[in-house]
Amino acid sequence: MTSPDEFGRFISVFLAVSLSSTFQGASSELLVSPAGPTLVNVFSGSNVTLAVTFSGASDPVVTWSMGDLPVVTWTIGSDIPPVVAQNTREVLRIESGGSLTFVNVPLNYSSRYTVEMTKSGLGKSSTTFTLNVFENIQNVVLTLQPDLAKEGPDPFTLQYSMDQGTVEQKTWFFNDVEINSNSHYSVQTERLVVLQPNRSDTGRYTVTLRNPISSVATHIDVNVLYGPDEPVLEASPARPFYVSGASLNVSCQADGFPRPAAEWLFDGQTVSDSSVLNLTRVQTSQGGVYTCRLTNQLTNEQRQKSITLNIYERPSGSPTCSVQSVNDVDLQYSCGWSGGTPPAQLTFPALSNSSSGAGNFSLTFNSSNNLDGKTVICMADHPIEQNRCNVTASNPVRFLPTVRTTVDTEGKIVVTMQCVSEAVPQAVVSWFEGSEALSSGTTPQFEIRDSNVTNFLLKNYSCTCRNPLGSQRREIQLRGPSISDSSLFKNPNGTIITLTWEVPSTSIVTGFDIQLKGPDLLSEDTKNIGRSSVFRTIQVRPGSARSADVLYLDPKLKYLFRIIPKALQEKGNPSEVHRTGPGGGLSGPAIAGIAAGIPCSLLFLLLLAGSVYLCFSWNKNRSRQTRYPGPRATEKATTTPNNLLTGGLRSLPDYTLHETPSEKSMPVPTFHPPPPVRVATRV
Ligand SMILES: *[C@@H]1O[C@H](CO)[C@@H](O)[C@H](O)[C@H]1NC(C)=O
Ligand SMILES: *[C@@H]1O[C@H](CO)[C@@H](O)[C@H](O)[C@H]1NC(C)=O
Ligand SMILES: *[C@@H]1O[C@H](CO)[C@@H](O)[C@H](O)[C@H]1NC(C)=O
Ligand SMILES: *[C@@H]1O[C@H](CO)[C@@H](O)[C@H](O)[C@H]1NC(C)=O
Ligand SMILES: *[C@@H]1O[C@H](CO)[C@@H](O)[C@H](O)[C@H]1NC(C)=O
Ligand SMILES: *[C@@H]1O[C@H](CO)[C@@H](O)[C@H](O)[C@H]1NC(C)=O
């Protein structure tokens, strides 16, 4: 503010006028001159004096003109009051020295003022002042238009207004740096236009308004609204996929003013209205595209960005490989690993590098492609786990057919033949009677029923086991009841013996008669005298039996034992005869020889040799007979048929390439004290 200066100048002008007028009258020429500056700036309402001095004359006539209009006239020193223009009398006063004083000067007194002094005979002189009356600048207000400054093409404007004041000079500042018009700013009357505003235009805008006597600075803080900017999505922990059950969160950030409000959308639904999406113990159903939508709540600008969350689950179990036959010609390799998100990718690299499947995959190849015995690996790839399985196709292996005999409730013999050949894919078993096809399928058994054993024996059966890689064929020649081998064991004191026997694998047997020739057992009652000369049945064993114990033997006596195989009532050839008792273990002829006495003559020996020969040739004949001789009238023993029907089934042995002509069923037995019961079967 300059008002104190102005006041000082006013004082000095006044003093100068007073002093100069004291020493006047000495010069010869009238001269008037300003006693201070000729440019005078004052506030409106203040008191100011335009001070002059003069010399060269006393008491000249003074005339002040406002512009060209004389407003005050006076003769200095005169008693006659000055003549003041009517409408200026409230303001203008003339001082005794000729200076002009303005009291409470109004605005409209800004003008050029000229003082002219005249003195008759001494000429005239004049000088000119310029008076500027200013109003104080007051209550300046800056306003922003529009109300919200926004980043973008629309400019915003700052405009000042004030209650009063005369502005001679205005200066705009942004954060204390002066602004000049350029491509970004346009400085106009009473306003500043910010073109293409952006976020860096946020700050304090100041306008300084000046006139020669006052200066006012006013500011406004402008926030340029912007955003949301491009959102940044960050998952934590960051993974290409998540295993179901895991927990994670995803943050959504973007710059903006005001800070943007976030919202998470999944499947068209709002799942969170916070900028962090928390997912705990995720399920596979929660996998997919999540969208974060950010909104500037003042500008309503929106921006969104999506992230895909992969939530995976391991397939259950392990992959399984298999190979099937297609039309008996092709091999279809299959690989499966079900479940899982996403489904596992399955390939057979050894078969094809170009095809793959998801979850389930099959490839079909002709069996001629060298596939026999080739292990084919299926690679099962899942993001969580890599696994594999393999399968090896193989042709049917050589096998031995087995035969199982049972008796059904109607008393018929049920013969179940079985052909099992290991093969991958599983072999198809076909049955033939002679050349006639009977059945075909994957069940390895074939069952035939008849009440007459002879009917089984007349037919030739065969089976083939086939898969696309090959086949195996076997004939099954059923045999009547027969025994291939038998043995006798006895306990140390000779009171118990055990008979064991074996049966050819294709023999039809439903039971066995254990026969004895010799003295009565200690357990038998001894009513029937003389029957010790024929074989009599002492036990009946079921078709599954391969051994029999005989108790209560008298170790001092001799016994003969044999086993008769049976198919229902039909009897097969007896087993060899086993002896026990003193000297037991020697052959019959030897016993006979010993009985005849060693001292006997050569003739006796010859006779013995002859009987040995006869015996041998008889045995030979017998073995040449058909495998199933007809029932023999001699040595026929009655049995209880019920015992046959209760014959249990033997479990079938597994046949492999080891061909065994007969079944070994029992190890060499050890003897335990027999239970104190009588043998149930009586003759
Ligand atoms: C101006 O002069 C008048 C009369 O002499 C006086 O009443 C007034 O207070 C003065 N004003 C100022 C601002 O000095
Ligand atoms: C999300 O989890 C964070 C910490 O992991 C927690 O600070 C925040 O409050 C959670 N937000 C919600 C919406 O649950
Ligand atoms: C597939 O690729 C592997 C490795 O590159 C190769 O060993 C295999 O022979 C290929 N299989 C086929 C069917 O081409
Ligand atoms: C085939 O699979 C079996 C059982 O899964 C495994 O023991 C064997 O090593 C595999 N063979 C090959 C060649 O991968
Ligand atoms: C069994 O059949 C054969 C020939 O078919 C016949 O000779 C025999 O008498 C029959 N046996 C029985 C017990 O029916
Ligand atoms: C069974 O086969 C044998 C020898 O292969 C043959 O001699 C016999 O005639 C055949 N029997 C039938 C009923 O075809």
Side-chain angles (χ1 to χ4, degrees):
M1 298 296 265
T2 55
S3 45
D5 289 349
E6 290 301 319
F7 185 68
R9 201 183 299 157
F10 167 72
I11 299 290
S12 66
V13 167
F14 183 78
L15 286 175
V17 168
S18 308
L19 285 171
S20 66
S21 57
T22 311
F23 300 106
Q24 65 183 303
S27 65
S28 56
E29 194 182 350
L30 179 62
L31 183 65
V32 61
S33 53
T38 56
L39 173 65
V40 178
N41 296 320
V42 294
F43 289 125
S44 66
S46 60
N47 296 342
V48 65
T49 298
L50 303 179
V52 293
T53 59
F54 64 90
S55 60
S58 59
D59 304 330
V61 176
V62 181
T63 303
W64 284 93
S65 299
M66 183 183 190
D68 294 329
L69 178 70
V71 285
V72 179
T73 310
W74 188 52
T75 303
I76 292 173
S78 156
D79 292 338
I80 300 161
V83 180
V84 181
Q86 180 70 36
N87 55 350
T88 65
R89 280 186 190 153
E90 296 292 314
V91 177
L92 300 181
R93 304 263 187 286
I94 191 148
E95 303 297 333
S96 56
S99 298
L100 184 65
T101 293
F102 299 74
V103 177
N104 297 330
V105 59
L107 272 180
N108 58 355
Y109 276 71
S110 292
S111 182
R112 184 171 47 83
Y113 289 87
T114 307
V115 59
E116 186 183 63
M117 292 197 179
T118 55
K119 183 76 178 182
S120 304
L122 292 176
K124 59 181 179 183
S125 173
S126 69
T127 186
T128 299
F129 293 84
T130 302
L131 177 68
N132 291 315
V133 182
F134 293 99
E135 220 171 24
N136 201 3
I137 300 172
Q138 280 184 359
N139 298 334
V140 180
V141 176
L142 262 179
T143 53
L144 173 68
Q145 287 166 346
D147 289 346
L148 299 174
K150 206 164 104 179
E151 189 173 75
D154 299 336
F156 68 85
T157 301
L158 295 171
Q159 178 146 23
Y160 66 82
S161 61
M162 56 196 175
D163 288 353
Q164 64 167 44
T166 314
V167 175
E168 285 240 310
Q169 190 196 7
K170 59 180 185 275
T171 316
W172 291 92
F173 297 90
F174 172 60
N175 290 343
D176 298 329
V177 177
E178 188 176 341
I179 291 174
N180 295 304
S181 275
N182 57 25
S183 60
H184 191 50
Y185 298 110
S186 168
V187 180
Q188 303 173 357
T189 323
E190 299 188 349
R191 51 191 194 151
L192 169 71
V193 179
V194 179
L195 304 167
Q196 304 261 349
N198 61 46
R199 63 197 68 182
S200 64
D201 292 318
T202 293
R204 173 165 289 193
Y205 287 83
T206 308
V207 64
T208 304
L209 302 179
R210 289 178 205 278
N211 57 30
I213 55 163
S214 68
S215 164
V216 173
T218 306
H219 67 257
I220 183 171
D221 290 327
V222 173
N223 277 313
V224 178
L225 308 182
Y226 68 94
D229 285 349
E230 178 71 11
V232 175
L233 306 185
E234 257 176 39
S236 164
R239 299 267 187 280
F241 63 85
Y242 300 88
V243 180
S244 68
S247 297
L248 65 140
N249 54 61
V250 192
S251 69
C252 174
Q253 307 288 341
D255 205 359
F257 186 88
R259 205 181 158 75
E263 183 186 23
W264 280 98
L265 304 168
F266 176 62
D267 238 0
Q269 306 268 315
T270 298
V271 290
S272 169
D273 46 14
S274 126
S275 65
V276 179
L277 171 70
N278 286 356
L279 297 173
T280 48
R281 289 186 292 283
V282 287
Q283 301 303 305
T284 52
S285 59
Q286 292 176 279
V289 177
Y290 286 78
T291 302
C292 170
R293 184 159 69 199
L294 292 169
T295 307
N296 184 320
Q297 284 171 326
L298 285 183
T299 63
N300 286 326
E301 291 289 330
Q302 284 193 336
R303 200 101 176 226
Q304 62 185 42
K305 193 166 184 180
S306 296
I307 185 172
T308 300
L309 297 180
N310 296 312
I311 298 169
Y312 292 164
E313 198 166 59
R314 184 190 176 280
S316 56
S318 305
T320 53
C321 284
S322 63
V323 59
Q324 263 98 38
S325 146
V326 180
N327 300 328
D328 281 342
V329 179
D330 294 335
L331 291 175
Q332 183 186 50
Y333 287 87
S334 301
C335 184
W337 201 13
S338 61
T341 307
Q345 279 297 312
L346 308 170
T347 53
F348 285 112
L351 297 179
S352 164
N353 277 339
S354 55
S355 46
S356 67
N360 227 318
F361 177 51
S362 296
L363 274 180
T364 302
F365 275 82
N366 191 278
S367 57
S368 61
N369 283 338
N370 210 8
L371 294 169
D372 192 8
K374 179 171 179 174
T375 297
V376 173
I377 297 173
C378 167
M379 305 299 300
D381 282 352
H382 187 270
I384 297 177
E385 184 181 314
Q386 303 203 329
N387 213 322
R388 55 165 65 187
C389 60
N390 65 59
V391 62
T392 307
S394 58
N395 62 0
V397 296
R398 274 157 52 76
F399 64 96
L400 262 191
T402 61
V403 172
R404 191 176 63 178
T405 309
T406 57
V407 178
D408 70 9
T409 51
E410 295 169 16
K412 285 186 176 173
I413 298 176
V414 181
V415 171
T416 307
M417 297 178 285
Q418 181 166 265
C419 290
V420 178
S421 173
E422 280 174 26
V424 183
Q426 189 187 356
V428 172
V429 184
S430 304
W431 291 92
F432 301 90
E433 186 190 313
S435 57
E436 180 194 350
L438 295 175
S439 79
S440 184
T442 49
T443 45
Q445 289 101 11
F446 187 72
E447 194 181 274
I448 43 182
R449 288 167 193 258
D450 209 306
S451 43
N452 189 336
V453 187
T454 317
N455 293 339
F456 294 119
L457 308 180
L458 293 175
K459 294 163 185 166
N460 288 343
Y461 292 99
S462 64
C463 65
T464 56
C465 292
R466 172 186 300 280
N467 77 6
L469 293 170
S471 72
Q472 292 283 342
R473 178 170 189 274
R474 305 297 276 191
E475 307 261 336
I476 303 174
Q477 181 79 54
L478 293 175
R479 303 177 64 174
S482 50
I483 286 177
S484 58
D485 195 13
S486 62
S487 310
L488 180 148
F489 304 91
K490 61 180 179 181
N491 69 344
N493 56 24
T495 56
I496 301 171
I497 60 108
T498 296
L499 291 166
T500 67
W501 61 90
E502 288 151 22
V503 168
S505 66
T506 57
S507 181
I508 300 171
V509 188
T510 61
F512 302 93
D513 284 352
I514 310 300
Q515 294 194 332
L516 164 69
K517 186 161 84 173
D520 288 335
L521 297 175
L522 296 179
S523 61
E524 289 180 301
D525 54 31
T526 53
K527 271 183 220 162
N528 297 320
I529 310 296
R531 60 181 183 163
S532 61
S533 58
V534 294
F535 274 105
R536 60 188 188 276
T537 299
I538 55 166
Q539 275 186 42
V540 173
R541 302 287 288 148
S544 59
R546 293 295 181 269
S547 72
D549 292 338
V550 181
L551 316 178
Y552 309 115
L553 299 178
D554 184 341
K556 294 185 290 294
L557 300 176
K558 291 182 182 174
Y559 302 88
L560 301 181
F561 294 99
R562 67 178 186 182
I563 306 129
I564 310 276
K566 299 188 300 183
L568 294 184
Q569 281 81 12
E570 306 291 335
K571 290 183 162 57
N573 283 344
S575 69
E576 64 177 299
V577 173
H578 297 278
R579 292 155 204 276
T580 182
L586 294 178
S587 67
I591 292 167
I594 291 164
I598 295 167
C600 280
S601 68
L602 258 175
L603 176 69
F604 224 102
L605 284 171
L606 280 171
L607 277 171
L608 178 62
S611 71
V612 166
Y613 175 77
L614 281 173
C615 185
F616 175 75
S617 61
W618 179 80
N619 266 325
K620 206 170 152 191
N621 273 348
R622 202 180 64 164
S623 66
R624 273 208 211 103
Q625 283 172 343
T626 53
R627 282 166 183 142
Y628 176 59
R632 301 189 330 171
T634 58
E635 299 174 350
K636 188 168 181 177
T638 56
T639 58
T640 323
N642 275 349
N643 283 351
L644 286 171
L645 296 177
T646 57
L649 301 182
R650 287 180 50 247
S651 64
L652 286 165
D654 283 334
Y655 278 87
T656 61
L657 277 173
H658 313 290
E659 295 195 36
T660 50
S662 57
E663 303 167 352
K664 299 269 182 194
S665 58
M666 289 273 295
V668 173
T670 55
F671 284 92
H672 300 287
V677 290
R678 289 170 62 90
V679 174
T681 313
R682 308 272 327 253
V683 177

